[in-house]
Amino acid sequence: MSALVAIVGRPNVGKSTLFNRLVGRKIALVDDTPGVTRDRREAEGRIGDLRFRILDTAGYEDRFDGSLEDRMRQGTELAIREADVILFMIDARAGVTPLDERFAQVLRKSGKEVHLIANKAEGKAADAGLMEAFSLGFGEPVPLSAEHGLGLADLHAIIGKAVDAKTPPPTLDDEMPDVDIELPPDDGTIEDGPPLRWNPKRYLNVAIVGRPNAGKSTLINTMVGEERLLTGPEAGITRDSIMVPWEWEGRTINLVDTAGIRRKARVEGKLEKLSVGDSLRSIQYAEIVVLLLDATIPFEKQDLALADLVHREGRAMVIALNKWDLIEDKQATLVKLREECERLLPQLRGVPLVTISGLQGRNIDRLMGAIFKIEQAWNTHLSTAKLNRWLYAVIEKHPPPAVSGRRIKMRYMTQAKMRPPSFIIFGSRADAVPASYQRYLINSMRETFDMPGTPIRLWLRSGKNPYADKD
């Protein structure tokens, strides 16, 4: 296992900027507002040829009153206990503050290897702060500029020692002995193997999205079995999209917690816009999206907008009705919600609808079963022969309508790609096919090939007339 390096410090000293620099991508939100980061974020970092795990943490607040800042402090202290190396960051331009001194006391009691990092050290304005940093008792500070990439050579030396300590020396038992292998004679024949089928990959990216306070972070904490993400009664706690790996039935499920998405007109301030943008990017990079609804107030306008967005992005989706333990007449309510779902989301007819309780951990197995089933449908591949047999049958049952007295002919169909399943139909006057008939074809395809709720792309192409340019 590689070394784990935690970046800690008070708010707004540049921890997330250094984290992004070491990861090589801008995955943590960065803003001048103090306290942007609230949850621990882990990723693979690198400096040159050095590889390690890096933890971004919330800014340390000296609070013990059960508030949001108190819960953020507890998350930071947990990261300190887990880390192999602590990078204690201060702002060299601001100098040593009382909160820096209080945090230094906490770090000395941890017994961990702590290295003092003086960020924003470019220019003469940082000289006084660099001298003050000696008073914290961690030796000579490492001058650094996370924004401009200065001082990374010193970090390479610090982290390199921890990586070497975590890497066991090679032994003779690790060497592979020479073995003579007899190959069968090549007679030119090839045995027929089983037909190729879709094989689920080991890693699956699942984004949990929804309105603020729907219970996304609570659900992920229950699934992974620990308080990995910050939760509480306050709406909008989550700001960054945080990925949490989780093992389920032999597969690694990368659960992505996202910030709650409100209506565009209600999004206020630059920071909330950044958070919403991060959530929308998580939908684009996910394979499966779980739209989490509050069962007590389901199918709000924003819920429907999110569902439509997921459909337009071509992601497979499962709708989870959270807080189901608060519903009294469960059977009647479920029947009503299924009817509303079919009526309000006709473009996702048959989308899986699962009732859960993230707080109590109810029906997590049913949720994962629905995720795996929709994943398989999302990866559907149909042979051309099967598609054309289906096409001729549905056309015979319900022919395309005539437009301006001329019939529309559909001659041939093939699958262009998977993820989502995408198909092309070749025929005459493709641009005249009504949208209602296209919906008929898509819904019939969902029923025939067992792809309920799966986004399906259908393109119609007109074949070129070879005699059009001749007399």
Side-chain angles (χ1 to χ4, degrees), residues 86-191:
I86 308 295
L87 301 182
F88 176 27
M89 180 177 285
I90 65 169
D91 185 340
R93 294 183 181 180
V96 176
T97 67
L99 188 55
D100 290 327
E101 296 174 348
R102 174 72 185 101
F103 196 19
Q105 296 175 6
V106 174
L107 292 174
R108 278 193 289 270
K109 294 178 182 177
S110 69
K112 292 297 183 74
E113 179 185 352
V114 179
H115 296 272
L116 184 59
I117 308 297
N119 191 29
K120 308 178 186 179
E122 68 278 12
K124 295 183 178 180
D127 292 346
L130 287 171
M131 296 302 297
E132 287 183 18
F134 282 91
S135 65
L136 293 174
F138 293 107
E140 183 178 358
V142 177
L144 183 79
S145 174
E147 185 174 357
H148 301 289
L150 304 177
L152 295 183
D154 294 327
L155 282 188
H156 185 285
I158 292 170
I159 299 174
K161 294 179 181 178
V163 172
D164 293 340
K166 295 284 288 187
T167 305
T171 63
L172 293 177
D173 295 336
D174 296 331
E175 297 181 1
M176 181 66 71
D178 295 331
V179 179
D180 293 329
I181 302 176
E182 279 190 27
L183 298 176
D186 186 4
D187 56 2
T189 61
I190 301 177
E191 294 184 1

Side-chain angles (χ1 to χ4, degrees), residues 381-385 387-388 391 411-417 422-426 445 457-459:
H381 181 268
L382 302 171
S383 67
T384 300
L387 283 172
N388 283 281
L391 179 63
R411 299 187 177 92
Y412 180 77
M413 183 177 185
T414 187
Q415 183 165 0
K417 70 182 188 72
S422 304
F423 306 91
I424 303 176
I425 296 179
F426 297 92
M445 190 178 301
R457 300 288 185 262
L458 182 62
W459 298 298

Side-chain angles (χ1 to χ4, degrees), residues 56-77:
D56 188 19
T57 64
Y60 185 83
E61 299 276 6
D62 196 19
R63 299 282 293 273
F64 298 84
D65 53 2
S67 62
L68 176 60
E69 290 78 10
D70 180 17
R71 301 196 296 275
M72 292 164 59
R73 175 192 59 78
Q74 295 176 32
T76 299
E77 291 180 352

Side-chain angles (χ1 to χ4, degrees), residues 17-60:
T17 302
L18 178 59
F19 176 83
N20 287 340
R21 171 74 61 178
L22 297 179
V23 172
R25 292 181 293 138
K26 291 184 178 181
I27 61 176
L29 293 184
V30 176
D31 191 69
D32 293 335
T33 306
V36 172
T37 302
R38 290 175 170 175
D39 286 294
R40 306 190 309 279
R41 180 193 288 272
E42 182 177 344
E44 181 180 348
R46 57 179 295 180
I47 305 177
D49 59 343
L50 203 60
R51 300 291 185 275
F52 49 91
R53 291 183 299 144
I54 187 77
L55 265 179
D56 188 19
T57 64
Y60 185 83

Side-chain angles (χ1 to χ4, degrees), residues 308-369:
D308 187 61
L309 172 65
V310 174
H311 175 260
R312 286 187 280 112
E313 290 292 338
R315 305 299 97 180
M317 186 175 72
V318 175
I319 296 179
L321 294 167
N322 194 26
K323 307 181 184 179
W324 194 246
D325 51 303
L326 303 179
I327 303 298
E328 294 183 1
D329 192 350
K330 293 180 170 52
Q331 187 62 35
T333 303
L334 181 58
V335 172
K336 178 183 176 181
L337 292 180
R338 288 191 188 279
E339 292 175 353
E340 285 190 15
C341 185
E342 294 295 316
R343 176 176 60 86
L344 297 172
L345 296 171
Q347 71 274 35
L348 288 167
R349 180 178 295 180
V351 62
L353 196 67
V354 183
T355 60
I356 65 170
S357 172
L359 185 62
Q360 299 180 356
R362 294 181 183 177
N363 291 340
I364 300 298
D365 54 340
R366 290 180 54 193
L367 175 62
M368 294 308 302

Side-chain angles (χ1 to χ4, degrees), residues 295-313:
T296 61
I297 45 172
F299 295 115
E300 294 283 303
K301 185 177 180 180
Q302 184 63 13
D303 297 326
L304 302 179
L306 279 173
D308 187 61
L309 172 65
V310 174
H311 175 260
R312 286 187 280 112
E313 290 292 338

